[in-house]
């Protein structure tokens, strides 16, 4: 189906109506802002925009790190023509609730991190459910992170990012018609989320799709030639109540291992999909491809020409002739944007040990015993920090990346038996003689909920 201009306009109106409903924005106020003719930088236009406005960015390369605004639609002149380059610093795009970004290449984020909130990414949606469509998200540390932000991620290329392609944490995101390849770690990583991954083509990543503590709908995808595993469920996933994967109608073939901890399911195919040119990233299907008309038979999954679903990024109801495609034909502003932002969990209760009383006692003991070295915010800058000896510094306990790689049991051991018990400096003394195990556990719950605001996430990345 080709979208006519009329459809495009009405799609926008639907989106506006939706936004108005959500946030009381007046339609009369919505306007179009142009970069660079009216505003020199994208950020200047965003600052001048309000919810419901569209910002149109002309072809060119913009060296900026931008922060979107609630309900604003940001459109480039197509990913082939319009680039936002993050200067190798931080996140390139910081999302906002109910915002839309489409038609850009997003590249060159900072290089920090492999887990959670402290990782530099191309597009970050943090408590900001949004729509990301028709973008080429390449050459970042991680491509996209949705964090407490169920988002629409549609018709993008997500490739050549150092760590993850898509990092989906606490977000029931919708991942459709994307081409995801050559990412250093997982193509699509899901944790504590119930997302859907439908009609994507995922290849040559470390793993294709990886999932832990998540219930992921994985349907109509082509997952081939990933370096380690095609579809990978964490070992501990089964133990979790939300863990059941719903796999169907995927073509999974030629990965080092096709499935780990999950079995091929209804409609799955294991055959060379006959893509036009995998080496060049051209994943159009050849005429005799076994992926043609092999997706789910449900008519709701049909291709735009009303025939049965073709597997992979060029199949299904949202399929377009080109991914990402150019702005005249697009807009995904009409996709129902999920505006629900989820509350962050009480991280204290996600340590193995918790309880309100416990945290109170944990805080008291932390202030009494630990602050002299680790400082009130745990940053390692207490009064005694400089006095411990050459090169010895208290650890920064507010570092979420570090602490989420440490299990509660490990922290218990360090605190109870001292740094030397795990090969750290003995300047980190043992507290087993001064604090009961119960008190130490309460302190760990306090550190997780108030200091690092993080929970144990197991080994990072790959
Ligand atoms: C006399 C100073 C001092 C005090 C008091 C102290 N620490 Fe430490 N702590 C250190 C130092 C120094 C290190 C880093 C050791 C190293 O670099 O080998 C450390 C490391 C740690 C680590 C290890 C983090 C990691 O990398 O896994 C934890 C956890 C920790 N401290 C918690 C506490 C808690 C909780 C208390 C209070 C009960 C406390 N510390 C009190 C000096 C101190």
């Amino acid at each position: 189906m080709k979208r006519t201009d009329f459809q495009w306009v009405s799609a926008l109106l639907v989106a506006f109506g939706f936004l108005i409903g959500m946030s009381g924005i007046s339609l009369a106020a919505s306007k179009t802002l142009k970069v660079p003719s009216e505003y020199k930088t994208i950020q200047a236009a965003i600052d001048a925009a309000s919810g419901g406005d569209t910002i149109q960015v002309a072809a060119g390369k913009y060296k900026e790190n931008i922060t979107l605004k609630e309900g604003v639609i940001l459109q480039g002149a197509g990913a082939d023509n319009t680039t936002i380059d993050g200067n190798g610093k931080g996140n390139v795009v910081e999302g906002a609730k109910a915002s839309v970004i489409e038609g850009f290449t997003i590249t060159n984020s900072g290089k920090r991190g492999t887990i959670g909130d402290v990782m530099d990414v191309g597009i970050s949606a943090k408590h900001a459910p949004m729509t990301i469509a028709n973008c080429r998200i390449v050459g970042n540390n991680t491509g996209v992170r949705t964090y407490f932000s169920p988002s629409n991620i549609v018709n993008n290329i997500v490739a050549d990012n150092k760590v993850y392609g898509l990092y989906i944490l606490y977000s029931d995101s919708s991942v459709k018609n994307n081409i995801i390849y050559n990412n250093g770690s997982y193509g699509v990583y899901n944790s504590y989320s119930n997302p859907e991954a439908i009609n994507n083509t995922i290849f040559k990543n470390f793993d294709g799709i990886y999932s832990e503590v998540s219930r992921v709908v994985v349907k109509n995808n082509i997952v081939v030639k990933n370096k380690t595993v095609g579809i990978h469920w964490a070992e501990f996933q089964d133990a979790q109540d939300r863990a059941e994967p719903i796999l169907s109608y995927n073509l999974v073939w030629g990965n080092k291992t096709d499935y780990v901890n999950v079995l091929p399911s209804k409609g799955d195919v294991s055959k060379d999909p006959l893509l036009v040119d995998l080496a060049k990233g051209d994943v159009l299907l050849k005429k005799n491809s076994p992926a043609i008309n092999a997706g789910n038979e449900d008519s709701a999954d049909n291709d735009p020409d009303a025939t049965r679903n073709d597997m992979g990024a060029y199949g299904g109801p949202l399929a377009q002739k080109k991914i990402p495609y150019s702005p005249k034909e697009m807009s995904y502003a009409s996709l129902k944007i999920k505006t629900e932002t989820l509350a962050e969990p009480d991280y204290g209760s996600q340590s193995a040990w918790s309880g309100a009383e416990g945290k109170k006692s944990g805080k008291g003991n932390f202030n009494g015993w630990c602050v002299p070295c680790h400082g009130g915010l745990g940053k390692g800058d207490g009064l005694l920090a400089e006095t411990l000896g050459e090169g010895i510094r208290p650890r920064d306990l507010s570092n979420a990346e570090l602490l989420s790689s440490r299990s509660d049991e490990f922290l218990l051991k360090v605190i109870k038996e001292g740094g030397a018990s795990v090969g750290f400096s003995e300047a980190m003394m043992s507290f087993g003689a001064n604090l009961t195990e119960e008190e130490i556990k309460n302190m760990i719950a306090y550190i997780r909920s108030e200091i690092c605001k993080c929970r144990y996430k197991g080994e990072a990345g790959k």
Side-chain angles (χ1 to χ4, degrees), residues 419-457:
S421 75
V422 296
F424 294 165
S425 163
E426 58 189 6
M428 171 58 206
M429 12 195 249
S430 69
F431 288 88
N434 304 305
L435 295 165
T436 65
E437 197 166 299
E438 186 64 28
E439 287 170 322
I440 295 175
K441 287 176 173 179
N442 287 333
M443 203 153 52
I444 291 167
Y446 168 72
I447 292 169
R448 292 232 181 268
S449 75
E450 304 295 329
I451 303 288
C452 74
K453 301 194 163 75
C454 71
R455 40 173 276 277
Y456 175 51
K457 285 195 38 56

Short mmCIF file of all heavy atoms in Angstrom, two decimals, residues 419-457:
data_model
loop_
_atom_site.label_atom_id
_atom_site.label_comp_id
_atom_site.label_asym_id
_atom_site.label_seq_id
_atom_site.Cartn_x
_atom_site.Cartn_y
_atom_site.Cartn_z
N GLY A 419 37.08 -6.52 52.50
CA GLY A 419 37.55 -6.49 51.11
C GLY A 419 38.52 -7.62 50.80
O GLY A 419 38.46 -8.23 49.73
N ALA A 420 39.42 -7.91 51.79
CA ALA A 420 40.47 -8.90 51.53
C ALA A 420 39.87 -10.27 51.20
O ALA A 420 40.47 -11.06 50.46
CB ALA A 420 41.39 -9.01 52.74
N SER A 421 38.65 -10.54 51.69
CA SER A 421 38.05 -11.87 51.46
C SER A 421 37.72 -12.11 49.99
O SER A 421 37.51 -13.24 49.57
CB SER A 421 36.78 -12.03 52.31
OG SER A 421 35.72 -11.27 51.75
N VAL A 422 37.63 -11.03 49.21
CA VAL A 422 37.35 -11.20 47.78
C VAL A 422 38.47 -10.61 46.92
O VAL A 422 38.29 -10.36 45.73
CB VAL A 422 36.00 -10.55 47.36
CG1 VAL A 422 34.83 -11.23 48.06
CG2 VAL A 422 35.99 -9.06 47.66
N GLY A 423 39.61 -10.35 47.56
CA GLY A 423 40.76 -9.84 46.82
C GLY A 423 40.79 -8.33 46.66
O GLY A 423 41.59 -7.78 45.92
N PHE A 424 39.92 -7.62 47.37
CA PHE A 424 39.97 -6.15 47.38
C PHE A 424 40.89 -5.70 48.52
O PHE A 424 41.34 -6.51 49.32
CB PHE A 424 38.59 -5.54 47.60
CG PHE A 424 37.60 -5.78 46.49
CD1 PHE A 424 36.25 -5.56 46.71
CD2 PHE A 424 38.00 -6.22 45.24
CE1 PHE A 424 35.30 -5.77 45.71
CE2 PHE A 424 37.07 -6.44 44.23
CZ PHE A 424 35.71 -6.21 44.46
N SER A 425 41.10 -4.39 48.58
CA SER A 425 41.96 -3.84 49.64
C SER A 425 41.36 -4.10 51.02
O SER A 425 40.15 -4.07 51.21
CB SER A 425 42.09 -2.33 49.43
OG SER A 425 42.56 -1.73 50.61
N GLU A 426 42.25 -4.31 51.99
CA GLU A 426 41.75 -4.54 53.35
C GLU A 426 41.31 -3.24 54.00
O GLU A 426 40.77 -3.24 55.10
CB GLU A 426 42.78 -5.29 54.20
CG GLU A 426 44.09 -4.57 54.32
CD GLU A 426 45.17 -5.44 54.99
OE1 GLU A 426 44.91 -6.62 55.26
OE2 GLU A 426 46.25 -4.90 55.25
N ALA A 427 41.55 -2.12 53.30
CA ALA A 427 41.00 -0.85 53.80
C ALA A 427 39.47 -0.93 53.86
O ALA A 427 38.83 -0.25 54.65
CB ALA A 427 41.42 0.30 52.90
N MET A 428 38.88 -1.76 53.01
CA MET A 428 37.46 -2.08 53.15
C MET A 428 37.40 -3.15 54.23
O MET A 428 37.66 -4.32 53.99
CB MET A 428 36.89 -2.57 51.82
CG MET A 428 35.47 -3.12 51.93
SD MET A 428 34.29 -1.93 52.59
CE MET A 428 33.06 -2.99 53.31
N MET A 429 37.12 -2.66 55.46
CA MET A 429 37.25 -3.55 56.60
C MET A 429 36.08 -4.53 56.70
O MET A 429 35.09 -4.38 56.00
CB MET A 429 37.34 -2.74 57.89
CG MET A 429 36.98 -1.29 57.69
SD MET A 429 37.48 -0.31 59.05
CE MET A 429 35.88 0.09 59.66
N SER A 430 36.20 -5.49 57.59
CA SER A 430 35.10 -6.44 57.77
C SER A 430 34.19 -5.92 58.87
O SER A 430 34.64 -5.33 59.85
CB SER A 430 35.64 -7.82 58.13
OG SER A 430 36.19 -7.78 59.43
N PHE A 431 32.88 -6.10 58.68
CA PHE A 431 31.92 -5.58 59.66
C PHE A 431 31.18 -6.70 60.38
O PHE A 431 30.26 -6.45 61.15
CB PHE A 431 30.93 -4.63 58.96
CG PHE A 431 31.58 -3.33 58.56
CD1 PHE A 431 32.22 -3.20 57.33
CD2 PHE A 431 31.58 -2.25 59.44
CE1 PHE A 431 32.83 -2.01 56.98
CE2 PHE A 431 32.20 -1.06 59.09
CZ PHE A 431 32.83 -0.95 57.85
N GLY A 432 31.61 -7.93 60.13
CA GLY A 432 30.93 -9.09 60.72
C GLY A 432 30.90 -9.04 62.25
O GLY A 432 29.99 -9.58 62.88
N ALA A 433 31.90 -8.38 62.84
CA ALA A 433 31.95 -8.33 64.30
C ALA A 433 31.02 -7.24 64.86
O ALA A 433 30.61 -7.31 66.02
CB ALA A 433 33.38 -8.09 64.76
N ASN A 434 30.71 -6.25 64.02
CA ASN A 434 29.92 -5.11 64.51
C ASN A 434 28.46 -5.15 64.12
O ASN A 434 27.61 -4.53 64.75
CB ASN A 434 30.51 -3.80 63.97
CG ASN A 434 31.96 -3.66 64.33
OD1 ASN A 434 32.32 -3.73 65.50
ND2 ASN A 434 32.81 -3.50 63.34
N LEU A 435 28.16 -5.83 63.02
CA LEU A 435 26.79 -5.84 62.51
C LEU A 435 26.34 -7.28 62.31
O LEU A 435 27.13 -8.13 61.87
CB LEU A 435 26.76 -5.11 61.15
CG LEU A 435 27.09 -3.62 61.17
CD1 LEU A 435 27.38 -3.11 59.76
CD2 LEU A 435 25.95 -2.81 61.78
N THR A 436 25.08 -7.54 62.63
CA THR A 436 24.56 -8.89 62.37
C THR A 436 24.33 -9.06 60.87
O THR A 436 24.26 -8.08 60.12
CB THR A 436 23.20 -9.11 63.08
OG1 THR A 436 22.25 -8.22 62.49
CG2 THR A 436 23.30 -8.83 64.58
N GLU A 437 24.18 -10.32 60.46
CA GLU A 437 23.94 -10.57 59.05
C GLU A 437 22.64 -9.88 58.62
O GLU A 437 22.54 -9.31 57.53
CB GLU A 437 23.85 -12.08 58.80
CG GLU A 437 24.01 -12.39 57.33
CD GLU A 437 24.26 -13.87 57.05
OE1 GLU A 437 25.29 -14.39 57.55
OE2 GLU A 437 23.45 -14.47 56.35
N GLU A 438 21.66 -9.92 59.50
CA GLU A 438 20.38 -9.25 59.24
C GLU A 438 20.60 -7.76 58.96
O GLU A 438 20.06 -7.19 58.00
CB GLU A 438 19.49 -9.46 60.48
CG GLU A 438 18.06 -8.97 60.35
CD GLU A 438 17.28 -9.73 59.29
OE1 GLU A 438 17.61 -10.92 59.05
OE2 GLU A 438 16.37 -9.14 58.68
N GLU A 439 21.39 -7.13 59.81
CA GLU A 439 21.64 -5.69 59.62
C GLU A 439 22.37 -5.41 58.31
O GLU A 439 22.10 -4.41 57.64
CB GLU A 439 22.46 -5.16 60.82
CG GLU A 439 21.63 -5.05 62.09
CD GLU A 439 22.47 -4.74 63.34
OE1 GLU A 439 23.60 -5.27 63.47
OE2 GLU A 439 21.99 -3.97 64.18
N ILE A 440 23.28 -6.28 57.96
CA ILE A 440 24.03 -6.07 56.70
C ILE A 440 23.08 -6.24 55.51
O ILE A 440 23.11 -5.46 54.56
CB ILE A 440 25.23 -7.03 56.61
CG1 ILE A 440 26.24 -6.71 57.72
CG2 ILE A 440 25.92 -6.90 55.25
CD1 ILE A 440 27.41 -7.66 57.80
N LYS A 441 22.21 -7.23 55.59
CA LYS A 441 21.25 -7.44 54.50
C LYS A 441 20.35 -6.21 54.33
O LYS A 441 20.07 -5.77 53.22
CB LYS A 441 20.40 -8.68 54.75
CG LYS A 441 21.18 -9.98 54.55
CD LYS A 441 20.31 -11.18 54.91
CE LYS A 441 21.04 -12.48 54.55
NZ LYS A 441 20.23 -13.66 54.90
N ASN A 442 19.92 -5.66 55.46
CA ASN A 442 19.09 -4.45 55.40
C ASN A 442 19.86 -3.30 54.76
O ASN A 442 19.30 -2.49 54.01
CB ASN A 442 18.63 -4.05 56.81
CG ASN A 442 17.56 -5.00 57.33
OD1 ASN A 442 16.84 -5.60 56.55
ND2 ASN A 442 17.49 -5.15 58.64
N MET A 443 21.16 -3.25 55.05
CA MET A 443 21.98 -2.18 54.49
C MET A 443 22.09 -2.34 52.97
O MET A 443 22.08 -1.37 52.22
CB MET A 443 23.35 -2.25 55.15
CG MET A 443 24.09 -0.96 55.11
SD MET A 443 25.24 -0.87 56.48
CE MET A 443 26.12 -2.37 56.29
N ILE A 444 22.19 -3.58 52.53
CA ILE A 444 22.28 -3.83 51.09
C ILE A 444 20.96 -3.41 50.40
O ILE A 444 20.97 -2.79 49.33
CB ILE A 444 22.63 -5.32 50.82
CG1 ILE A 444 24.06 -5.58 51.27
CG2 ILE A 444 22.46 -5.67 49.33
CD1 ILE A 444 24.44 -7.03 51.36
N ALA A 445 19.85 -3.72 51.07
CA ALA A 445 18.55 -3.27 50.51
C ALA A 445 18.53 -1.75 50.41
O ALA A 445 18.05 -1.18 49.43
CB ALA A 445 17.41 -3.78 51.37
N TYR A 446 19.07 -1.08 51.42
CA TYR A 446 19.12 0.38 51.40
C TYR A 446 20.03 0.89 50.26
O TYR A 446 19.67 1.80 49.52
CB TYR A 446 19.61 0.92 52.76
CG TYR A 446 19.96 2.39 52.72
CD1 TYR A 446 18.95 3.36 52.62
CD2 TYR A 446 21.29 2.81 52.74
CE1 TYR A 446 19.28 4.70 52.55
CE2 TYR A 446 21.61 4.15 52.67
CZ TYR A 446 20.61 5.10 52.58
OH TYR A 446 20.93 6.43 52.50
N ILE A 447 21.19 0.26 50.12
CA ILE A 447 22.12 0.68 49.05
C ILE A 447 21.44 0.53 47.68
O ILE A 447 21.52 1.41 46.83
CB ILE A 447 23.43 -0.15 49.10
CG1 ILE A 447 24.23 0.20 50.37
CG2 ILE A 447 24.28 0.08 47.86
CD1 ILE A 447 25.40 -0.72 50.65
N ARG A 448 20.72 -0.57 47.50
CA ARG A 448 20.06 -0.79 46.20
C ARG A 448 18.93 0.23 45.96
O ARG A 448 18.74 0.70 44.86
CB ARG A 448 19.49 -2.21 46.12
CG ARG A 448 20.57 -3.28 46.07
CD ARG A 448 20.34 -4.23 44.91
NE ARG A 448 21.32 -5.29 44.83
CZ ARG A 448 22.45 -5.22 44.11
NH1 ARG A 448 22.73 -4.12 43.44
NH2 ARG A 448 23.28 -6.23 44.08
N SER A 449 18.19 0.53 47.01
CA SER A 449 17.03 1.40 46.76
C SER A 449 17.42 2.87 46.74
O SER A 449 16.82 3.66 46.02
CB SER A 449 15.93 1.14 47.79
OG SER A 449 16.26 1.69 49.03
N GLU A 450 18.42 3.29 47.50
CA GLU A 450 18.70 4.73 47.60
C GLU A 450 20.06 5.16 47.06
O GLU A 450 20.25 6.31 46.71
CB GLU A 450 18.64 5.17 49.08
CG GLU A 450 17.32 4.84 49.77
CD GLU A 450 16.14 5.59 49.18
OE1 GLU A 450 16.33 6.72 48.70
OE2 GLU A 450 15.02 5.02 49.20
N ILE A 451 21.04 4.28 47.03
CA ILE A 451 22.39 4.71 46.66
C ILE A 451 22.66 4.43 45.17
O ILE A 451 22.92 5.35 44.41
CB ILE A 451 23.47 4.02 47.54
CG1 ILE A 451 23.21 4.28 49.03
CG2 ILE A 451 24.86 4.47 47.13
CD1 ILE A 451 23.50 5.67 49.52
N CYS A 452 22.59 3.18 44.77
CA CYS A 452 22.85 2.92 43.34
C CYS A 452 21.56 2.90 42.53
O CYS A 452 21.58 3.02 41.32
CB CYS A 452 23.61 1.60 43.14
SG CYS A 452 22.61 0.11 43.39
N LYS A 453 20.42 2.76 43.21
CA LYS A 453 19.13 2.63 42.52
C LYS A 453 19.24 1.56 41.43
O LYS A 453 18.96 1.79 40.26
CB LYS A 453 18.69 3.96 41.92
CG LYS A 453 18.54 5.06 42.96
CD LYS A 453 17.78 6.24 42.39
CE LYS A 453 17.23 7.18 43.41
NZ LYS A 453 18.17 8.05 44.06
N CYS A 454 19.69 0.41 41.85
CA CYS A 454 19.91 -0.65 40.87
C CYS A 454 19.72 -2.00 41.53
O CYS A 454 19.80 -2.12 42.74
CB CYS A 454 21.33 -0.56 40.31
SG CYS A 454 22.61 -1.03 41.49
N ARG A 455 19.46 -2.97 40.71
CA ARG A 455 19.37 -4.33 41.21
C ARG A 455 20.42 -5.18 40.50
O ARG A 455 20.98 -4.77 39.49
CB ARG A 455 17.98 -4.92 40.95
CG ARG A 455 17.41 -4.56 39.59
CD ARG A 455 16.14 -5.29 39.32
NE ARG A 455 16.46 -6.60 38.79
CZ ARG A 455 16.73 -6.84 37.50
NH1 ARG A 455 16.69 -5.88 36.62
NH2 ARG A 455 17.04 -8.04 37.09
N TYR A 456 20.65 -6.37 41.02
CA TYR A 456 21.62 -7.28 40.40
C TYR A 456 21.08 -7.75 39.06
O TYR A 456 19.94 -8.18 38.97
CB TYR A 456 21.86 -8.47 41.33
CG TYR A 456 22.75 -9.54 40.73
CD1 TYR A 456 23.98 -9.20 40.17
CD2 TYR A 456 22.37 -10.87 40.75
CE1 TYR A 456 24.80 -10.17 39.63
CE2 TYR A 456 23.19 -11.86 40.22
CZ TYR A 456 24.40 -11.50 39.65
OH TYR A 456 25.19 -12.47 39.11
N LYS A 457 21.90 -7.60 38.02
CA LYS A 457 21.42 -7.99 36.70
C LYS A 457 22.23 -9.13 36.09
O LYS A 457 22.17 -9.37 34.90
CB LYS A 457 21.45 -6.79 35.75
CG LYS A 457 20.31 -5.85 36.05
CD LYS A 457 20.02 -4.84 34.96
CE LYS A 457 20.14 -5.31 33.55
NZ LYS A 457 19.33 -6.47 33.16
#
